Amino acid sequence: MSDSKSGAAESIKSKVSQLFTEKSAVPSSVAADIQPAAQVSEPKEPEAAKTESVAVAAKAVPTAEQVAPTPEPAPAPKIEAKPKAETRKPATAAKKPAAAKAPSEVRNPETGEVNALPNNYRFAKRWMKDALVKEGLLPKVYKNDELDEKANKKIKTAFTKFAKLEQYRV
């Protein structure tokens, strides 16, 4: 087992040494064209090595016979487009009325201040909280520590009703 490995290693060593000797043997006509070693960035390969690499590369590329041609998909049958009857609705009917949608902003009728409707009761302005109680939508102004799941449900419904009231619309 060690003999086969050493034999393979020796054959590789002999090939490598042969390549180095071929590299070092430069004809005198080429030697005049070669720049000093400090200026050369890449060493040139000998002609024998180039032909070997080309031969190896040629073997690696499959021929047209080896590559199986891919069948082209059958063309899809052409369907002629039939003109559709005009089914568009008028532009005025496409828009939904603004009254059905809850507004996202409310106006303070006393000062004229316009604020966005908050998603959370904690971030609501004081005038909104007072207005919710004044309109009878909530029993009292809640403190932050009094907010629980049951109170939050009441507050959400109260805010949707509050936004729909005429005097608070923008």
Side-chain angles (χ1 to χ4, degrees):
M1 194 157 59
S2 63
D3 293 334
S4 64
K5 288 184 180 178
S6 64
E10 288 179 19
S11 65
I12 292 173
K13 288 181 183 178
S14 64
K15 288 182 181 179
V16 169
S17 63
Q18 188 180 22
L19 286 175
F20 280 117
T21 56
E22 289 176 2
K23 278 190 173 183
S24 62
V26 178
S28 60
S29 61
V30 177
D33 295 337
I34 297 179
Q35 299 175 352
Q39 295 178 357
V40 176
S41 61
E42 295 181 16
K44 294 185 178 181
E45 292 185 22
E47 294 297 323
K50 287 182 183 178
T51 57
E52 287 177 12
S53 64
V54 170
V56 171
K59 289 179 184 177
V61 176
T63 62
E65 296 171 358
Q66 293 173 343
V67 177
T70 57
E72 294 183 17
K78 294 183 179 180
I79 300 173
E80 293 183 18
K82 297 179 182 177
K84 291 184 177 180
E86 191 66 30
T87 59
R88 289 188 179 176
K89 296 179 182 177
T92 56
K95 294 182 180 179
K96 293 182 180 177
K101 181 180 153 187
S104 61
E105 292 184 333
V106 289
R107 181 181 51 87
N108 185 350
E110 296 172 4
T111 62
E113 177 185 6
V114 176
N115 295 108
L117 196 63
N119 290 331
N120 193 333
Y121 185 76
R122 293 177 189 213
F123 301 116
K125 297 278 187 171
R126 185 68 187 185
W127 71 265
M128 289 183 203
K129 294 176 182 180
D130 291 337
L132 288 170
V133 173
K134 179 182 169 186
E135 296 296 327
L137 299 171
L138 289 178
K140 65 176 186 172
V141 176
Y142 290 96
K143 295 180 183 175
N144 287 342
D145 62 341
E146 296 174 339
L147 297 175
D148 59 351
E149 193 172 317
K150 187 177 178 183
N152 283 333
K153 286 182 181 180
K154 286 182 185 178
I155 291 168
K156 287 280 186 187
T157 57
F159 267 130
T160 56
K161 292 177 184 177
F162 177 69
K164 293 178 184 178
L165 293 175
E166 186 64 36
Q167 60 185 357
Y168 297 104
R169 286 189 193 166
V170 177

